[in-house]
Amino acid sequence: MATEVKVPTLGESVTEATVGEWLKNPGDAVAVDEPIASLETDKVAVDVPSPVAGVMGEHKVAVGDTVEVGAVLATVEEGGAPSAKPAAAKEEAPAPAAKEEASAGTADTVTMSPAVRRAVLEHGVDPTTIKGTGKDGRLTKEDVLAAAKAKDSTPAASPAPSPAPTASAAPAGGRNEERVKMTRMRQTIAKRLKGAQDNAALLTTFNDVDMSAVIEARTKYKDLFAKKHDIRLGFMGFFAKASCLALKDVPSVNAYIEGDEIVYHDYVDISVAVSAPNGLVVPVVRDADKKGFAQIEKDIADFGARAKAGTLTMEDMSGGTFTISNGGVFGSLMSTPIINPPQSAVLGLHRIEDRPVVVDGQIVIRPMMYIALSYDHRLIDGREAVTALKIIKEAIEDPTRMLIDL
């Protein structure tokens, strides 16, 4: 009996997805709840589990197809077993042919996305010898590139003299092009960012922050903090709490426009931009204004790990009243971040570097960071934006303000 596997509910307001890759091919054994396909939504990749145990049947759609919630993806034959060739047939086959078939079969059992398969063919590596670091041990393009690099750096035995090149050989130093279809997530990122520029009156204000006090506090308490809370004390916790002070004092920065109304929030849900294999995602630290440093750091660390593993959910990224994006981890000195609609403001953090500054009439070297606040000028006046950024600066330069709510 064949059971249909349908596109599951993908989250609030999400009605369709793109088939990213098939994790099971027709004839493969499938366990109950074992993922058989990966779907790409606007924000996350979603694994589709098998509702029954059996054998993978027919794929009803292809990789790259757009499917709606409830559509049939494939069938699973319940209670079956993977098809196998009779033992007698194997014994009758000539030895060289049997060896070739076994080798190909081993390689085919490695689940690879189109991008990974292209990399395997391009670099001539054996996928069965590579340990995957992706979800459920799947190969990623980075795994293949690392294996290819390792292979190139390994001294090889002296090859036999190669025949002279023929006229049909490809010329050295050729210029190639590759066309790769944008993932649904990348398409959505592009649309949302362009939409933000088209619909909002974007403006950015800058300031710089002396990070001496925060660095000193981290150095002094990092070991005790890690021992007590089992989490590393990072910079993001400081900026999240400093932002909460600013959003409380300047409510418009924590609001958004809906039609001809302004929606204000009496809570702070901070979207934190983290890097994922398919692009930038923004999971939400909810009620950041009510959480302590340890819980904020734990939430962010958990989001980062799950973003790399591809296990973030739609719920993790829904909502959010304000965004913090840290380009400094990639070495950015200064940038003008774009707001995350329908939010009205985003805080951009950048790298810390020693710079000469004047303190009490003396030139001293201090660890400085440029910070930027991009905002929707339709809702937030320049005075309010500058005030909010100044509050964040003062809280970072004097962390005691975060303890006594100044």
Side-chain angles (χ1 to χ4, degrees):
M1 177 181 176
T3 299
E4 293 182 337
V5 183
K6 299 181 179 181
V7 178
T9 300
L10 301 171
E12 184 180 355
S13 76
V14 181
T15 60
E16 62 181 23
T18 300
V19 180
E21 62 177 313
W22 284 104
L23 308 178
K24 291 291 184 179
N25 294 316
D28 289 350
V30 179
V32 177
D33 292 332
E34 183 177 10
I36 65 167
S38 178
L39 303 180
E40 294 179 354
T41 70
D42 293 348
K43 297 181 178 179
V44 295
V46 178
D47 282 347
V48 180
S50 173
V52 296
V55 175
M56 190 69 195
E58 179 185 1
H59 291 172
K60 298 293 186 180
V61 292
V63 171
D65 286 354
T66 297
V67 291
E68 295 184 350
V69 173
V72 177
L73 290 172
T75 59
V76 175
E77 299 291 338
E78 296 184 47
S83 58
K85 295 184 178 180
K90 289 186 178 180
E91 293 174 359
E92 294 173 2
K99 181 177 181 181
E100 181 181 351
E101 181 180 348
S103 175
T106 302
D108 287 344
T109 60
V110 180
T111 301
M112 294 182 288
S113 67
V116 173
R117 190 173 295 276
R118 279 196 302 271
V120 167
L121 295 175
E122 180 181 348
H123 295 281
V125 296
D126 182 358
T128 63
T129 64
I130 306 173
K131 183 178 180 181
T133 61
K135 186 179 180 182
D136 296 328
R138 286 181 233 154
L139 290 184
T140 66
K141 187 175 181 181
E142 289 71 23
D143 296 332
V144 175
L145 296 179
K149 183 177 180 180
K151 184 183 74 170
D152 293 340
S153 63
T154 302
S158 299
S162 57
T166 63
S168 61
R175 295 170 13 132
N176 301 314
E177 293 181 351
E178 180 183 11
R179 292 180 180 268
V180 179
K181 185 176 180 180
M182 294 173 67
T183 64
R184 175 171 288 271
M185 183 183 294
R186 177 52 57 185
Q187 292 179 47
T188 300
I189 291 173
K191 290 177 183 177
R192 287 175 62 83
L193 293 182
K194 184 57 180 172
Q197 290 182 319
D198 291 341
N199 299 322
L202 291 179
L203 191 62
T204 304
T205 183
F206 298 92
N207 215 317
D208 60 356
V209 178
D210 185 343
M211 297 293 292
S212 299
V214 167
I215 292 175
E216 182 181 352
R218 290 182 70 228
T219 301
K220 184 176 181 179
Y221 297 113
K222 64 179 181 180
D223 292 337
L224 289 174
F225 187 88
K227 183 178 181 180
K228 180 175 181 179
H229 300 291
D230 194 28
I231 190 68
R232 175 178 171 270
L233 178 59
F235 290 116
M236 192 61 79
F238 287 93
F239 279 101
K241 296 303 290 184
S243 296
C244 290
L245 289 181
L247 301 180
K248 179 180 178 182
D249 284 358
V250 190
S252 61
V253 181
N254 196 42
Y256 69 91
I257 294 176
E258 186 173 66
D260 60 356
E261 297 180 328
I262 300 174
V263 181
Y264 292 95
H265 305 94
D266 64 354
Y267 55 88
V268 178
D269 287 351
I270 296 182
S271 303
V272 180
V274 297
S275 183
N278 292 332
L280 202 67
V281 293
V282 279
V284 180
V285 177
R286 304 192 189 280
D287 295 317
D289 52 324
K290 299 179 178 66
K291 291 180 177 177
F293 279 77
Q295 189 57 55
I296 290 175
E297 293 290 358
K298 287 179 180 179
D299 288 352
I300 294 172
D302 176 61
F303 287 145
R306 290 198 285 137
K308 292 180 181 178
T311 58
L312 287 173
T313 66
M314 297 294 293
E315 178 63 23
D316 291 328
M317 289 178 283
S318 63
T321 63
F322 181 76
T323 293
I324 300 179
S325 179
N326 186 6
V329 297
F330 304 110
S332 172
L333 176 64
M334 187 180 292
S335 68
T336 55
I338 300 178
I339 63 173
N340 178 26
Q343 297 173 20
S344 298
V346 53
L347 175 67
L349 310 182
H350 303 91
R351 75 170 185 251
I352 301 171
E353 64 177 9
D354 288 341
R355 291 201 298 267
V357 295
V358 177
V359 178
D360 297 329
Q362 300 293 320
I363 297 177
V364 295
I365 303 298
R366 292 291 174 85
M368 304 297 294
M369 175 197 287
Y370 288 117
I371 57 175
L373 184 74
S374 290
Y375 58 99
D376 188 348
H377 209 347
R378 297 177 302 164
L379 171 60
I380 303 169
D381 294 331
R383 176 179 59 85
E384 294 174 310
V386 171
T387 299
L389 196 62
K390 184 170 179 285
I391 292 172
I392 294 172
K393 169 186 170 68
E394 291 173 344
I396 294 298
E397 293 184 339
D398 183 6
T400 304
R401 288 174 173 266
M402 289 181 262
L403 298 177
I404 58 179
D405 193 18
L406 279 181

